[in-house]
Amino acid sequence: MPARRSVARGLPHPAAGLSAGRRTWGLAVGVTAVPLLTVALVATGDTLALGSVLLLYLLSVVLVAAIGGLLPGVLAAAAAVLTANWFLIPPFHTLFIESRDAVVELVVFAVVSLVVSITVDLAARDRARAARGQVEIEILSQMAARPVSELDLPRLLEQVRSTFGMSSAALVRTGSSGEAGVVAGVGPAVEGEPSIRVPASAELELVAHGPLLFAEDRSVLERLAAAAARAWESQHLAAQAGQLAEADRVRSALLAAVGHDLRTPLAGLKAAVSSLRQDDVAWAPQEQAELLATIEDSADRLGDLIANILDMTRIQVGAVTARPSPVAVDEIASRALLDVATGSVVLDVPDSLPLVLADAGLLERVVANLLDNALRHSPPGRPVVLSAGLVGGQVELRVVDRGPGVPAELWSAMFAPFQRLGDRTSTAGAGLGLAIVQGFCSAMGIAVEPEETPGGGLTMRLTLPVVPPVTRA
């Protein structure tokens, strides 16, 4: 069990009185002053009366008590009584006293010395209480002066650790809400049961490893624990508010996308179907084919938009689960090109590449979205290039377009939902493609990075981990 410490670092205990250093100095002064004074008085012989001798001893005892407090003062007084009786009160070199006046004077000397020592020690304890009160006021006033939102939880825990001399301090859940664990902590991890447990809130408590504390220390510690709990709750509420604000922003943008981007394919479908159903119009075969192509194109766009919205919703709620397995890059590339117009993409993915570790379905969606984004921004007659190669023990897959490109300072903004940088066309989609790419890549642990295409344009690079070779025993 850790030892109980009466003087905590940074917060003096009210019962501490003088420090151990001052007591040591008081003992040293007593051990030195009383013998030296005795030698000097013996050398003077009988020139001084006993009252004067005892006054000189009293002066030395007061000096020792003022420096070291009660214990050194009492020891100095006892030494002064014995030495004065032995060397300076007849009969000499005995503890017998033949004069009643000398007995009275020695008793009075001893009582006065004891009273002075006790007075000095009580004054020191009062100063310790005052110092402690000042420290408590400073600590608590600093917490009270700050808004709850500005309370720094790690800093509060560090203050607890340094103030009470703990090796570590942490704010933990009690488990009453169904989960337990460390919310925040400072100091090295310590095995075993903590020496201190202080309730911080209904679900949190402050634990610390170090010396045991007295009741006065625990009262301050409870206030610090409550402040730490308020700081955590404030941070937790701020994080929840941020998540709710982000969810509200996404929901608003999603509604805007549904209200705007769904209207175009629906309007195309409605117009084409209504035209074909007109009995009073004889459509030529070519006109019928164009209307049917419009229906097919609008249905494809509508399906892609709904799929992207559903994927973005899965990413926002954290419902995307990747199941990595060995997959062939050339196979993924071929499947991603199934719905792409012939001649719009140049494929350069050799089938000799090693297998990569990824979720086949998610990776196909990633490549398809990158191709769709590149095709949307590529000028006519400039096909997109889909290439892959082995670089530094990893497979790098690149989607290269020759479009207007994106400035480097806007690369991070490209991956935000509902962003269509530099795109003012109404058929550009909801701006979810790259956001879905980043969400799926994060779920698979794959890096996706934009690059500037030499000569103009944008290149999106995927870094795919290679499946490690199987070692045979």
Side-chain angles (χ1 to χ4, degrees), residues 184-456:
V186 294
V190 180
E191 298 291 337
E193 186 70 15
S195 56
I196 296 172
R197 286 184 177 272
V198 178
S201 68
E203 299 180 357
L204 299 172
E205 66 178 0
L206 181 67
V207 300
H209 292 81
L212 296 177
L213 301 179
F214 290 93
E216 294 85 351
D217 295 321
R218 291 186 65 89
S219 63
V220 180
L221 189 60
E222 288 173 356
R223 298 185 184 182
L224 291 174
R230 290 197 303 272
W232 179 82
E233 290 170 355
S234 174
Q235 295 176 2
H236 189 61
L237 291 175
Q240 287 183 335
Q243 293 174 357
L244 291 175
E246 177 63 18
D248 184 67
R249 187 191 72 82
V250 172
R251 182 166 50 251
S252 300
L254 183 61
L255 291 175
V258 171
H260 177 270
D261 293 301
L262 288 181
R263 288 176 181 175
T264 301
L266 287 175
L269 285 170
K270 177 67 175 178
V273 172
S274 298
S275 298
L276 289 174
R277 294 188 61 188
Q278 290 181 4
D279 298 331
D280 56 343
V281 178
W283 299 102
Q286 182 179 356
E287 293 173 335
Q288 290 184 359
E290 290 178 356
L291 290 173
L292 291 174
T294 299
I295 294 174
E296 184 179 13
D297 181 64
S298 298
D300 290 341
R301 287 167 53 193
L302 185 61
D304 292 340
L305 181 58
I306 292 175
N308 282 341
I309 291 175
L310 292 177
D311 287 339
M312 197 66 233
T313 303
R314 290 169 57 202
I315 292 173
Q316 290 293 329
V317 301
V320 177
T321 302
R323 295 177 176 84
S325 61
V327 297
V329 180
D330 59 325
E331 180 182 350
I332 294 296
S334 300
R335 287 159 52 184
L337 290 173
L338 290 178
D339 297 329
V340 177
T342 304
S344 60
V345 176
V346 175
L347 182 62
D348 182 18
V349 180
D351 56 6
S352 59
L353 289 174
L355 298 179
V356 298
L357 194 63
D359 186 299
L362 295 183
L363 183 58
E364 180 185 345
R365 293 297 308 278
V366 166
V367 176
N369 279 357
L370 290 178
L371 287 173
D372 179 71
N373 185 73
L375 289 169
R376 186 181 298 117
H377 295 89
S378 294
R382 302 295 299 273
V384 172
V385 178
L386 176 59
S387 63
L390 189 62
V391 179
Q394 293 179 312
V395 173
E396 290 188 354
L397 188 145
R398 285 180 166 82
V399 178
V400 184
D401 68 61
R402 295 292 182 178
V406 177
E409 60 270 15
L410 298 180
W411 284 353
S412 59
M414 290 191 307
F415 296 98
F418 310 104
Q419 294 294 322
R420 295 186 294 221
L421 303 178
D423 198 337
R424 297 180 176 84
T425 63
S426 61
T427 60
L432 295 173
L434 291 182
I436 294 172
V437 166
Q438 187 180 54
F440 284 176
C441 287
S442 298
M444 293 185 290
I446 293 175
V448 53
E449 297 175 314
E451 296 177 348
E452 184 178 354
T453 302

Side-chain angles (χ1 to χ4, degrees), residues 74-266:
V74 171
L75 294 178
V81 170
L82 293 176
T83 54
N85 187 13
W86 186 268
F87 292 103
L88 301 173
I89 298 177
F92 301 113
H93 306 301
T94 66
L95 295 179
F96 177 74
I97 303 174
E98 61 184 12
S99 171
R100 294 179 181 178
D101 293 336
V103 172
V104 173
E105 291 174 344
L106 279 178
V107 171
V108 172
F109 166 77
V111 172
V112 171
S113 299
L114 181 61
V115 170
V116 170
S117 300
I118 293 175
T119 302
V120 171
D121 194 73
L122 290 177
R125 292 175 186 270
D126 290 339
R127 287 194 300 271
R129 289 190 184 93
R132 176 192 173 86
Q134 183 63 31
V135 174
E136 290 182 8
I137 292 173
E138 291 177 358
I139 293 175
L140 299 178
S141 63
Q142 287 176 2
M143 294 187 303
R146 294 181 181 176
V148 177
S149 59
E150 296 182 4
L151 290 177
D152 188 354
L153 181 55
R155 186 174 179 180
L156 275 173
L157 294 177
E158 181 60 35
Q159 187 172 38
V160 170
R161 189 171 76 99
S162 60
T163 299
F164 296 98
M166 299 295 167
S167 58
S168 65
L171 191 67
V172 300
R173 291 183 181 273
T174 59
S176 59
S177 60
E179 55 178 325
V182 177
V183 172
V186 294
V190 180
E191 298 291 337
E193 186 70 15
S195 56
I196 296 172
R197 286 184 177 272
V198 178
S201 68
E203 299 180 357
L204 299 172
E205 66 178 0
L206 181 67
V207 300
H209 292 81
L212 296 177
L213 301 179
F214 290 93
E216 294 85 351
D217 295 321
R218 291 186 65 89
S219 63
V220 180
L221 189 60
E222 288 173 356
R223 298 185 184 182
L224 291 174
R230 290 197 303 272
W232 179 82
E233 290 170 355
S234 174
Q235 295 176 2
H236 189 61
L237 291 175
Q240 287 183 335
Q243 293 174 357
L244 291 175
E246 177 63 18
D248 184 67
R249 187 191 72 82
V250 172
R251 182 166 50 251
S252 300
L254 183 61
L255 291 175
V258 171
H260 177 270
D261 293 301
L262 288 181
R263 288 176 181 175
T264 301
L266 287 175

